[in-house]
Every structure is written in structure tokens, then in C-alpha cells.
Amino acid sequence: EPEVTQTPSHQVTQMGQEVILRCVPISNHLYFYWYRQILGQKVEFLVSFYNNEISEKSEIFDDQFSVERPDGSNFTLKIRSTKLEDSAMYFCASGLGTDQETQYFGPGTRLLVL
Amino acid sequence: QKEVEQNSGPLSVPEGAIASLNCTYSDRGSQSFFWYRQYSGKSPELIMSIYSNGDKEDGRFTAQLNKASQYVSLLIRDSQPSDSATYLCAVNDYKLSFGAGTTVTVRA
């Protein structure tokens, strides 16, 4: 069964450094998403992406964040200058895009900013 | 952000019992609702979706939707220890808005 994959599974970085989180969505999906979950808190929407552009973004997704689909398979989230409060689990998801379509989640990248 | 509220639990049920989980949402216009299960340290995993008022059954799981009351519930019948997890209610309006989750512990 196709699945969303993410790399790395864990990332430790120093405050102020740039990180890139990578995702390979399910191949026939058209919509791609990033969510994050701070430890002990709810899963929060960051951004959705369709047809090579951002469809919607949350207040969390400020100028420090960017997304890109550099080729036909990868979908990346870049955090330009990490802060302590960026420490969280980051989940990529993909789906066919209507509000009734399921979004399938990858296993997540645990980011720790020191 | 649309508000989705869940009883935080924890909810402890004996093996074989029914676990009942509740969720309310703020936007009366919401149409699509999902229940996900999340094991500790893992990603959300879809249990089921519901779009129409009434009940929807899938194996041991039954989702119930009442749009007039802005209320979604999930029943887990014949609870098993493997059902011990956090259950997330989500509203989909082209992005998912999650509740904080209800942690369920099934006692053997």
C-alpha cells in the first residue's frame, strides 16, 4: 500500500541554523500539507500546497518557513533560522484535495532545536 | 482556525467494554469529519470519516454525526488493549483542524 515517507526521522540543530525536512507524498496525490505537533499539544496545520504554489497557510507559517516541490516526488519544508519554539514533530500529509478526501500522514520528523 | 473540542480524558475502560469519545466543533458550515488514532510518538492514522448525519459503522468502530448539535462521536466496541491510544477528532475544510485528542487506556 502506498504511503507517505519523511526524512530524516530525527533532526537536532542549533538555534539559528537552517533545516530542511523532506517528504515523498503518495504518487497520485495532488495536495500536500505540513502539520506540526509540539510535545503534548494538538496537531496544527502549517501549510497546504497545490500545483506548485501555496494554497493556504496558517499564522504559524511566517517568513521563516518555506515549502518547495523541487522535483516530481519530493516536497520540502525549510525553516530558515530555527528557534527553540520550533522544536516539534513535523508531519507531512498528502491527499486528493477535496474536503471529503482523506489526508494520509507520513511518520513525521522530530525536530529538536538547542 | 476552526475550534474542535474533545474531552481530554484519560478514558480508562476494561477490555471488552465500549469506549465512547465525544467531539464538538465551532463552525456550523463544516461538512467533513475524521477520526484519527495516534499512538505515542507516531503519526495520526485514519480510523474513519463521516459526512452525513447519523451513524457510520466500520468493524468495531461507529462514528455518529449530528450537524444540528455540531457534535461528532466515536464508539469503540469490544475494546482491546491495542486500542489504547489518543483519538483525534478533525474537521476538514481543505485543511484539517484537530482537537486536542482523548487518551484511551484499555485495561486487560
Side-chain angles (χ1 to χ4, degrees), chain B residues 35-56:
Chain B
W35 283 99
Y36 284 83
R37 177 173 61 197
Q38 187 177 32
Y39 294 110
S40 181
K42 303 296 185 183
S43 61
E45 170 193 9
L46 180 72
I47 297 174
M48 62 193 304
S49 58
I50 187 165
Y51 314 118
S52 304
N53 280 328
D55 295 0
K56 179 180 177 183

Side-chain angles (χ1 to χ4, degrees), chain B residues 25 28 30-31 33 51-53 65-71:
Chain B
Y25 57 95
R28 187 169 289 278
S30 297
Q31 298 292 326
F33 308 90
Y51 314 118
S52 304
N53 280 328
L65 174 60
N66 183 325
K67 290 184 181 179
S69 300
Q70 295 174 236
Y71 174 88

